[in-house]
């Protein structure tokens, strides 16, 4: 018998003022796996993330994380349960340094400020940003702010990391650097990752499984090399001009 997935999303739906943003979507993320959620703009991907992270409660369906139902919990409760997330539009505390931004996240699990500082420095070092620790967040470049967003999420010590388009706007070399960071987190540290991403270069390099959402419904899922050949996926998404 195979082990239960770390995250199981079972038939969740969400409507806003009569508009069905997500319709009976299901997906699973195995412990230690990397799964990508892809699809056209407006497909409902971030709405799915927001339901997993507790921003929205599903109108129907359920979400189980680490053997526990979490749909209906508040975002802070879901963070405490072990889910960390980034946001599509990065908004660090601009007047704080990079290190202070990460310490804010670290204080979720560590109440001793000195220990939180050490853990935050270790996270920044892991992401190649230790030399930027005393720089105000407002002065960081876009790739650096993206890494800082990941660092803040990692500082909460998650079991599952939700990444919302963290490679959007990056150059190919910068994308490859981020891919290397996430691959290292997964292989060396066992981090389970669910990511929303349009950059197919990153999706193909990272993903063990890919789930495709279109008009709020899951239309395909499986190994990356199979999904990118699926006629329905080619028609609705990959036939468009997407970043490679």
């Amino acid at each position: 018998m195979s082990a239960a997935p770390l995250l199981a999303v079972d038939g969740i739906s969400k409507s806003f003022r009569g508009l069905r943003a997500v319709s009976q979507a299901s997906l699973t993320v195995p412990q230690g796996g990397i799964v990508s959620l892809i699809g056209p703009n407006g497909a409902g991907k971030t709405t799915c993330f927001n339901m997993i992270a507790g921003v929205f409660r599903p109108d129907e369906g359920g979400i189980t994380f680490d053997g526990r139902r979490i749909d209906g919990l508040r975002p802070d409760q879901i963070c405490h349960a072990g889910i960390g997330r980034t946001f599509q539009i990065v908004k660090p505390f601009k007047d704080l340094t990079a290190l202070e931004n990460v310490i804010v996240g670290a204080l979720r699990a560590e109440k001793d400020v000195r220990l939180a500082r050490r853990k935050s420095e270790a996270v920044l070092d892991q992401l190649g940003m230790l030399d930027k620790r005393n720089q105000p967040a407002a002065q960081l470049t876009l790739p650096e702010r993206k890494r800082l967003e990941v660092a803040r999420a990692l500082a909460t010590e998650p079991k599952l990391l939700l990444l919302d388009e963290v490679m959007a706007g990056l150059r190919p070399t910068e994308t490859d650097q981020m891919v290397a960071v996430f691959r290292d987190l997964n292989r060396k540290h066992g981090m389970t990752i669910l990511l929303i991403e349009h950059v197919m270069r990153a999706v193909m390099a990272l993903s063990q499984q890919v789930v495709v959402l279109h008009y709020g419904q899951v239309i395909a899922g499986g190994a990356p090399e199979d999904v990118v050949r699926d006629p329905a996926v080619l028609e609705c998404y990959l036939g468009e001009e997407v970043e490679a």
Side-chain angles (χ1 to χ4, degrees):
M1 180 182 292
S2 60
L6 180 63
L7 177 73
V9 176
D10 184 18
I12 60 172
S13 299
K14 187 66 183 177
S15 296
F16 299 98
R17 296 183 179 180
L19 176 64
R20 191 90 151 174
V22 176
S23 180
Q24 298 183 329
S26 298
L27 63 91
T28 60
V29 182
Q31 176 74 50
I34 301 179
V35 176
S36 289
L37 183 60
I38 69 171
N41 288 328
K45 304 181 297 297
T46 295
T47 300
C48 278
F49 258 37
N50 282 334
M51 285 190 278
I52 295 169
V55 178
F56 304 136
R57 183 170 189 159
D59 296 333
E60 61 182 357
I63 303 170
T64 302
F65 175 69
D66 202 17
R68 173 191 177 194
R69 283 285 295 267
I70 62 168
D71 46 286
L73 296 182
R74 300 188 310 268
D76 62 299
Q77 294 172 317
I78 289 176
C79 179
H80 187 76
I83 296 179
R85 72 166 296 181
T86 67
F87 291 86
Q88 188 173 348
I89 300 174
V90 293
K91 291 183 178 179
F93 299 109
K94 293 182 179 180
D95 294 332
L96 300 183
T97 66
L99 178 59
E100 289 167 340
N101 267 273
V102 182
I103 289 173
V104 171
L107 288 170
R108 200 275 321 161
E110 180 54 68
K111 303 310 177 190
D112 186 309
V113 176
R114 290 173 299 176
L115 290 177
R117 183 185 183 89
R118 284 185 215 152
K119 289 182 178 181
S120 298
E121 288 177 336
V123 170
L124 286 172
D125 190 31
Q126 192 175 13
L127 291 169
M129 285 194 62
L130 189 57
D131 62 332
K132 303 289 184 180
R133 61 187 178 277
N134 295 321
Q135 192 164 327
Q139 296 177 11
L140 297 175
T141 65
L142 175 62
E144 290 167 349
R145 292 199 304 273
K146 296 270 188 177
R147 288 189 182 228
L148 179 61
E149 182 81 358
V150 175
R152 292 199 302 174
L154 286 175
T156 67
E157 299 183 3
K159 300 174 186 175
L160 172 66
L161 184 61
L162 305 180
L163 302 173
D164 194 349
E165 295 193 31
V166 294
M167 284 166 275
L170 301 185
R171 299 183 181 92
T173 53
E174 295 165 344
T175 295
D176 292 344
Q177 290 168 355
M178 290 291 275
V179 165
V181 167
F182 298 134
R183 188 180 287 129
D184 184 71
L185 284 169
N186 177 254
R187 292 179 180 176
K188 293 185 180 179
H189 303 278
M191 179 64 64
T192 304
I193 298 173
L194 174 62
L195 67 149
I196 293 173
E197 196 53 70
H198 281 292
V199 183
M200 293 307 295
R201 180 190 191 96
V203 171
M204 297 303 292
L206 276 173
S207 310
Q208 296 153 3
Q209 297 286 317
V210 175
V211 177
V212 186
L213 208 61
H214 186 47
Y215 289 124
Q217 295 182 313
V218 174
I219 63 166
E225 59 271 19
D226 296 329
V227 168
V228 296
R229 291 197 296 262
D230 187 298
V233 178
L234 289 168
E235 180 180 357
C236 81
Y237 182 51
L238 295 181
E240 301 175 359
E241 184 179 355
V242 294
E243 187 173 353

